Amino acid sequence: MSDPDVLPPQPDHAGEAHDQADTAGRPAGRGPRFESILALLLVAAIGGGGLFVSGFMLGRLNGATPGTGDEQQELFRPFWDAYNDVSTRYVGEVDQHALIEGAIKGIFQALNDPFSAYMTEEEYRASLSGISGEFEGIGLSMATVEENGDPCETVSATCRLIAQGVIRNSPALEAGFLEGDIVLAVDGESTIGQTLTAVVDKVRGPKGTSVVLTIERAGGPPQDISVTRDVIVREDVRSEAIANGHVGYIKVDGFSSGSAADLRAQVQALLEEDGVEALVLDLRDDPGGYVDAAQKIGSEFVGTGPLYWEQAAGTDPVPQQPTAGGVATDPAVPMAVLVNGGTASASEIVAGALQGSGRAFLVGETTYGKGTIQEFKELPGSGGYRLSVRKWLTPDQTWIHGVGLIPDIAVLAPADPATGGDPILDRAVEELLSRLAQPVVGLAA
């Protein structure tokens, strides 16, 4: 995304800057409609290409344009001359709405910032939805793979559409779907010849409506499963005990609206298990999300000192302090954070907070390097935009934008993860177990 951090959906959001990041919006049909402004500050890695078009459009056609001061009238005169000519003299058909959208896109294009961009109404809603981690569907994760396990694009006799996983507490789980099920049809329409995206669009739909999936399981005969759609909360956090139960492993895939509470519960459960003495937080390939999710997650591990700093245009940096009551702030429980080039935005805020405070050491590869926070704002009738409105800095006020965080222990990922194992995780566990074996120096009373 790299619209790393987003603020919680107040009517002020901060795009991948504020507290969100993959699609930060309410699914259609839920809650009140957004009014003129939706501000979401989020931090997530979002690319910018393809949305930009040249042109500028501000105010109305005549000299006294709303929002344009007298000192700027001359500056905008060339624009209005061009706009008037296009509107009144162009020999072809003129779509005024398209002109306005193109002009707004041009404003953002001129910033040369891949994290600031204009979006159509559909793109805006989809972006907000991805950041929030909520959507309306059945909770079945699917993928297209060849019989040998290689990825493929269009479903065919050899390219199968399979269920990769079933989200906890979802309609799909309640209906009895299992990992490995082959999806043959949706509402009686064969999946053959369709892409994964096309099938997913058919399976998703408004809460309360039903969809029938025809599946094949373990070579058995086709069977129909009817399931009622609901609001699905994406699972961004998973955990387990590894290294013979000595190390708690937590993987975070995104900083959506529910990720902080989910992480807290899972870390607490790990620490209550017999034998867990250290923690690994895996932020590899995590593009970020809501800024407030990053603040909450960082607070589970860091108890004092600024987690990070925020700086708006023309102002001094402001420290962002951890929230009291973190479940894993005890330094007696050593921590490692796994990072790579896909660790971006909100996930970099957390990694930087743990590294900068000395709470954890980083293992892996240099991170993405996204040091800005975006605000999402709706333009009624014309989509919306995301705009970089703040910088975030590490605890020692370093701006890592374009540079990234440097791991304390550098380990390269294997060229072929399928056969090369996980040397980054292995090295982190090795270091943690080594530190656990060292005697603790204390004071005699």
Side-chain angles (χ1 to χ4, degrees):
M1 135 170 16
S2 202
D3 302 76
D5 312 310
V6 177
L7 296 178
Q10 309 163 323
D12 161 296
H13 139 225
E16 302 156 335
H18 130 282
D19 166 301
Q20 131 21 93
D22 181 37
T23 291
R26 296 177 181 272
R30 293 190 66 224
R33 279 183 55 83
F34 291 140
E35 296 300 330
S36 61
I37 294 179
L38 170 62
L40 296 173
L41 287 179
L42 77 142
V43 183
I46 294 178
L51 295 178
F52 303 125
V53 175
S54 61
F56 289 89
M57 177 69 184
L58 292 174
R60 60 174 201 220
L61 296 179
N62 298 323
T65 55
T68 304
D70 292 339
E71 71 283 358
Q72 293 182 308
Q73 294 301 322
E74 193 62 30
L75 176 65
F76 282 99
R77 187 174 303 279
F79 165 75
W80 293 120
D81 287 345
Y83 179 83
N84 280 321
D85 275 350
V86 170
S87 298
T88 62
R89 302 184 61 197
Y90 177 61
V91 70
E93 294 185 2
V94 176
D95 183 334
Q96 295 291 340
H97 187 73
L99 286 184
I100 293 173
E101 286 191 340
I104 298 172
K105 290 177 183 179
I107 293 175
F108 288 92
Q109 181 185 30
L111 295 175
N112 196 29
D113 175 8
F115 310 121
S116 297
Y118 169 78
M119 294 169 279
T120 64
E121 292 185 48
E122 181 178 343
E123 291 167 341
Y124 184 75
R125 288 194 300 270
S127 185
L128 290 181
S129 174
I131 291 171
S132 68
E134 294 186 0
F135 60 91
E136 291 181 324
I138 66 173
L140 186 66
S141 175
M142 296 181 288
T144 46
V145 297
E146 297 283 0
E147 293 178 348
N148 62 4
D150 290 339
C152 49
E153 294 185 3
T154 303
V155 182
S156 66
T158 58
C159 178
R160 302 175 301 173
L161 180 62
I162 67 168
Q164 275 194 322
V166 186
I167 294 178
R168 296 192 307 265
N169 304 316
S170 68
L173 182 64
E174 184 176 347
F177 285 95
L178 300 176
E179 182 177 341
D181 287 345
I182 300 174
V183 181
L184 304 176
V186 178
D187 283 336
E189 181 181 357
S190 173
T191 58
I192 297 293
Q194 299 191 52
T195 63
L196 174 62
T197 300
V199 175
V200 168
D201 287 344
K202 292 180 173 64
V203 174
R204 289 188 179 184
K207 173 183 176 180
T209 60
S210 297
V211 62
V212 177
L213 271 63
T214 303
I215 67 163
E216 177 186 308
R217 178 175 297 165
Q223 57 178 295
D224 292 338
I225 300 180
S226 178
V227 56
T228 301
R229 301 178 177 101
D230 203 343
V231 175
I232 306 300
V233 179
R234 191 181 63 226
E235 291 183 321
D236 283 333
V237 183
R238 58 185 186 274
S239 61
E240 61 179 313
I242 60 175
N244 295 320
H246 293 292
V247 178
Y249 171 83
I250 309 103
K251 179 71 175 79
V252 182
D253 292 321
F255 286 66
S256 59
S257 55
S259 60
D262 200 5
L263 176 135
R264 178 182 175 87
Q266 294 190 44
V267 171
Q268 181 103 55
L270 282 172
L271 293 176
E272 291 174 353
E273 290 189 24
D274 290 338
V276 172
E277 304 173 90
L279 295 173
V280 170
L281 179 63
D282 192 346
L283 298 179
R284 290 175 293 179
D285 298 316
D286 183 332
Y290 287 115
V291 170
D292 74 332
Q295 194 274 341
K296 292 174 182 176
I297 287 175
S299 297
E300 298 299 345
F301 307 106
V302 179
T304 60
L307 287 172
Y308 66 100
W309 299 69
E310 286 189 13
Q311 183 175 18
T315 67
D316 293 329
V318 177
Q320 306 299 309
Q321 302 294 343
T323 302
V327 296
T329 59
D330 186 353
V333 180
M335 277 194 69
V337 179
L338 310 186
V339 295
N340 66 4
T343 303
S345 262
S347 58
E348 287 181 292
I349 288 181
V350 172
L354 271 65
Q355 182 187 47
S357 66
R359 177 66 184 91
F361 56 93
L362 305 191
V363 183
E365 302 169 302
T366 301
T367 64
Y368 182 88
K370 182 178 183 296
T372 55
I373 291 173
Q374 283 63 46
E375 177 183 73
F376 275 50
K377 184 174 181 179
E378 183 179 8
L379 298 173
S382 294
Y385 62 79
R386 62 175 184 266
L387 178 65
S388 299
V389 295
R390 301 180 196 170
K391 297 178 179 179
W392 70 264
L393 314 173
T394 62
D396 65 357
Q397 298 191 48
T398 297
W399 195 38
I400 58 93
H401 195 68
V403 177
L405 296 166
I406 309 300
D408 300 290
I409 302 175
V411 181
L412 294 177
D416 184 359
T419 60
D422 193 345
I424 295 177
L425 175 58
D426 293 344
R427 182 66 182 87
V429 171
E430 176 187 358
E431 180 65 22
L432 287 171
L433 294 179
S434 174
R435 296 188 181 196
L436 287 173
Q438 297 175 3
V440 177
V441 178
L443 296 176

